[in-house]
Amino acid sequence: MTAVLLVGEGREYLREPGERLETDLGYLDVPDEIETGDTVETHLGTEFRVRGLRGPDLFEHFERTGAPMLPRDIGLVIGHTGVSASDRVLDIGTGTGVLAACLGRTGASVVSYERDPEFAEVARENMALAGVDGRENEYGTVEVRTGDGLDDLETHSEFDLVTLDTGDAPAIVEHVPDLLVPGGFLAVYSPFIESVRETVETAREVGLDPETYETIQREMDVGERGTRPSTAGVGHTGYLVFARA
């Protein structure tokens, strides 16, 4: 079994079977044979419930090499493209790898490119944590390649989905019609509106009909006096451009 979450006393710890958890609530050795739903106990008697990793947990527990895509953005990518098991995905701009891992956990086969060798190595470790690194499991697989995806585009074709989170997205969009199967999808994430405009214009030039969304999510505060939007901020993330071949 891959890593599990130990949840109790308002805390959450990520550990692999055989590892030790040491806290002020006591210590425990995680059993080699452990299942989701089990309860384990520290030497001081504190109980922790065992949870399996799900998509939102990857965002919280992946080692980060930058700002990862938020769960709400990933949800929009999955919802707007319908990515599913047996799909082939080209992902350029791996970063921390949260999007690639979540796509892999839908059952898709993902090839992801990261320019920075150190970031790519961290992403590979994160794929192992997510259980999508090619080992026999119930998920798809994510192959993280070190390099500039733009340089390798001529070697690729017939993808069901192309996802981009990179500053040179417009240059890659030029080649998207040759990368996608008929009916396949493009999804481009950008934190900057200037990049969005260039991406949309390029998509139109190559015959695509893009749609653009700003992603905003407001948390609600529910209290005794009443319910209202949180004052923590408007929750703006960035922009997503979708198009279909």
Side-chain angles (χ1 to χ4, degrees):
M1 187 176 184
T2 57
V4 296
L5 295 174
L6 305 178
V7 183
E9 300 292 325
R11 306 185 193 180
E12 185 174 284
Y13 300 96
L14 180 69
R15 293 292 185 276
E16 293 185 2
E19 286 189 330
R20 170 166 284 203
L21 172 69
E22 295 183 349
T23 76
D24 59 314
L25 302 174
Y27 67 82
L28 66 87
D29 294 312
V30 182
D32 291 328
E33 300 295 331
I34 193 169
E35 300 289 340
T36 298
D38 288 352
T39 298
V40 292
E41 187 175 304
T42 72
H43 80 291
L44 296 179
T46 303
E47 291 187 344
F48 284 89
R49 188 159 47 92
V50 179
R51 285 182 184 167
L53 285 172
R54 301 294 294 268
D57 302 316
L58 306 181
F59 173 81
E60 296 294 338
H61 292 282
F62 267 6
E63 182 178 347
R64 298 186 179 185
T65 53
M69 190 178 289
L70 291 174
R72 63 171 173 262
D73 301 308
I74 295 170
L76 286 170
V77 171
I78 292 174
H80 277 266
T81 66
V83 62
S84 60
S86 78
D87 279 355
R88 297 181 67 240
V89 180
L90 175 63
D91 172 59
I92 299 181
T94 315
T96 297
V98 176
L99 174 61
C102 287
L103 295 174
R105 287 170 72 95
T106 69
S109 175
V110 183
V111 176
S112 187
Y113 281 86
E114 171 55 51
R115 289 192 185 101
D116 188 299
E118 293 184 4
F119 288 7
E121 187 57 36
V122 171
R124 292 185 189 101
E125 294 172 359
N126 286 338
M127 296 310 112
L129 176 63
V132 294
D133 59 338
R135 290 173 294 172
E136 184 175 342
N137 55 51
E138 60 187 301
Y139 306 121
T141 60
V142 179
E143 177 191 355
V144 177
R145 297 182 181 179
T146 303
D148 189 333
L150 184 59
D151 295 337
D152 275 0
L153 291 184
E154 292 184 358
T155 68
H156 293 300
S157 63
E158 298 188 338
F159 286 98
D160 300 281
L161 172 62
V162 173
T163 60
L164 308 176
D165 183 2
T166 176
D168 60 352
I172 299 170
V173 171
E174 292 182 16
H175 303 271
V176 162
D178 298 324
L179 296 172
L180 290 174
V181 300
F185 282 90
L186 166 71
V188 184
Y189 173 83
S190 176
F192 303 114
I193 195 68
E194 291 86 357
S195 177
V196 168
R197 183 173 185 85
E198 190 177 354
T199 295
V200 168
E201 290 175 347
T202 303
R204 288 172 176 166
E205 289 172 0
V206 297
L208 300 175
D209 185 18
E211 297 179 340
T212 306
Y213 301 90
E214 179 183 15
T215 60
I216 297 177
Q217 184 179 56
R218 295 196 303 177
E219 184 177 357
M220 304 297 291
D221 288 336
V222 181
E224 294 182 359
R225 295 181 59 191
T227 303
R228 56 172 289 167
S230 171
T231 58
V234 296
H236 164 86
T237 302
Y239 308 93
L240 283 163
V241 178
F242 295 98
R244 192 172 191 182

